[in-house]
Amino acid sequence: MDGWETRRKRIPGHDWCIIQLGVPGIIHGFDVDTSFFTGNYAPYASIQAACLDQMPSFTLEGDRIGMAASPSQFEAVAQLNSESWKELVPMTKLKPGYSESCHNYLNVTYPHRVTHIRLNMYPDGGIARLKVYGIGKKDWSTVSSQDLVDLVALVNGGVCVGFSDAHYGHPRNMIGLGRADNMGDGWETARRLDRPKVLKVDEKGILQVPGFEWAIFRLGHPGIISKIEVDTNHFKGNFPDSCKIEGCSLTPDEENILIRNQWRSDKTPKWRILFPPQKLKAHHRHLFSGDSVVQCGPVTHVRLVIAPDGGVSRFRVWGRAVSNNMTRLQQISKL
């Protein structure tokens, strides 16, 4: 039983645990997975949540597998007042851990940032996995206007909102943590079939091809971009020949319309060049800053365009966060 299983309860109450999220953010759903717990799964569960950027100062003892929580642990956790946290999922009946019934998917609508959750099981039993689905959200009030931040990073709230092709890997992989473990941990497209039979290059050595692939990201916060990284780590015979990067400013309503139309609406964004076409190398970490990055003002979204196709393992966009008011003023000035 590779999960959490409690003893068969013989005293009043129910079992629970508190979990700190790996990435604080906005939660959209859960999967309470009871895999392999068939005769001993938790029959009911509920989930509560809180935002605890300032944690009380206490030290918990180590793992006590095979034992209940100690009195000192209960006393320490009582400082969190977790029983009064916001209830995201009311008491819900769970299904047994057979392959056809083990996943208990629970949708949530809660627009506030969460750092910790409390999982309650009633009254006892086993849960194999708890998965929390959502979008990372940084506490931007702690970030100075002069700090250089990776605005597209998943942990800072970056989200892939559109792409042209994801045959071998989803573009959201590019904004994950650290460098990629392998090619599957990046974005790779299928080979375009409109490539010329005989390839030619321009004076900069860039292939002259009719087609390209693209991925669009909403930044975790509007910002002015000054540094870019395109990492083709692991992509040796299948890296893109070249790339360019564009930016634009969109309201949430404008973004929703474009997503519904798969970014092919008549009212396409006015993309502004952040980084002109640049030849790429295999298995290489490309860093661009200074004059190579065009200063085009605050943006809310960026588009990575690769030609003709291929794979990119990581994509970073560093910049200074700006207020939403500055972004709105820029949108008004372009009407």
Side-chain angles (χ1 to χ4, degrees):
M1 302 300 177
D2 182 20
W4 174 39
E5 183 179 5
T6 69
R7 64 182 67 189
R8 302 180 190 219
K9 210 161 190 65
R10 300 297 184 257
I11 59 176
H14 65 89
D15 292 322
W16 50 271
C17 68
I18 293 175
I19 300 169
Q20 179 178 346
L21 300 183
V23 178
I26 308 299
I27 295 175
H28 291 280
F30 298 93
D31 176 15
V32 183
D33 184 352
T34 59
S35 289
F36 306 109
F37 289 96
T38 55
N40 52 347
Y41 67 98
Y44 296 89
S46 71
I47 301 174
Q48 297 166 268
C51 184
L52 303 177
D53 286 312
Q54 298 297 325
M55 283 283 289
S57 58
F58 59 77
T59 302
L60 293 179
E61 301 165 19
D63 290 339
R64 297 175 63 89
I65 296 175
M67 303 178 68
S70 67
S72 62
Q73 283 181 317
F74 278 121
E75 183 179 343
V77 172
Q79 299 179 51
L80 301 178
N81 198 25
S82 62
E83 65 274 6
S84 64
W85 288 359
K86 175 68 177 179
E87 185 178 70
L88 300 189
V89 178
M91 190 184 297
T92 301
K93 187 174 183 179
L94 301 180
K95 294 172 289 186
Y98 300 105
S99 59
E100 66 273 14
S101 62
C102 60
H103 293 286
N104 297 270
Y105 294 110
L106 306 166
N107 291 325
V108 169
T109 302
Y110 186 63
H112 304 291
R113 184 170 179 266
V114 172
T115 61
H116 293 71
I117 60 171
R118 170 172 160 149
L119 172 62
N120 303 294
M121 65 165 67
Y122 304 96
D124 53 38
I127 294 174
R129 291 290 185 273
L130 173 67
K131 296 187 178 178
V132 184
Y133 299 99
I135 295 174
K137 186 173 178 63
K138 190 178 183 68
D139 181 4
W140 292 99
S141 65
T142 65
V143 178
S144 165
S145 61
Q146 300 306 310
D147 289 345
L148 206 60
V149 181
D150 183 2
L151 298 171
V152 79
L154 182 149
V155 296
N156 292 332
V159 182
C160 178
V161 293
F163 56 88
S164 60
D165 185 279
H167 193 85
Y168 294 109
H170 199 286
R172 64 170 169 256
N173 294 340
M174 291 189 290
I175 59 176
L177 295 171
R179 298 193 78 189
D181 293 330
N182 48 53
M183 288 190 295
D185 191 23
W187 172 43
E188 185 180 1
T189 73
R191 300 191 191 207
R192 292 189 65 89
L193 300 180
D194 58 0
R195 291 166 295 151
K197 295 180 179 64
V198 179
L199 299 174
K200 297 180 180 180
V201 299
D202 63 11
E203 63 279 2
K204 296 181 180 179
I206 295 176
L207 287 179
Q208 298 300 285
V209 291
F212 56 86
E213 306 292 355
W214 51 267
I216 298 173
F217 299 88
R218 182 204 313 139
L219 303 182
H221 195 285
I224 297 175
I225 295 167
S226 58
K227 183 180 176 182
I228 294 169
E229 175 184 335
V230 179
D231 189 356
T232 58
N233 190 29
H234 303 297
F235 291 99
K236 300 175 181 178
N238 49 352
F239 65 99
D241 176 71
S242 64
C243 78
K244 69 176 180 179
I245 299 162
E246 302 165 320
C248 71
S249 294
L250 296 173
T251 66
D253 287 342
E254 290 171 335
E255 180 195 275
N256 288 335
I257 292 171
L258 289 164
I259 290 175
R260 284 197 300 269
N261 289 283
Q262 298 182 335
W263 296 90
R264 292 182 175 85
S265 170
D266 293 336
K267 296 182 179 180
T268 54
K270 293 183 178 179
W271 293 105
R272 308 189 298 275
I273 288 292
L274 281 169
F275 180 70
Q278 173 72 39
K279 189 84 171 177
L280 297 179
K281 300 177 183 179
H283 190 55
H284 184 75
R285 192 176 188 181
H286 306 78
L287 296 171
F288 308 103
S289 59
D291 293 339
S292 59
V293 178
V294 178
Q295 296 302 308
C296 65
V299 296
T300 61
H301 293 68
V302 294
R303 179 168 73 165
L304 171 62
V305 180
I306 60 173
D309 49 44
V312 175
S313 62
R314 288 294 184 266
F315 178 47
R316 311 292 188 200
V317 174
W318 286 282
R320 292 184 295 107
V322 299
S323 68
N324 289 316
N325 289 335
M326 183 181 293
T327 307
R328 283 194 288 269
L329 285 172
Q330 184 191 52
Q331 290 169 336
I332 293 171
S333 67
K334 291 182 176 296
L335 293 178

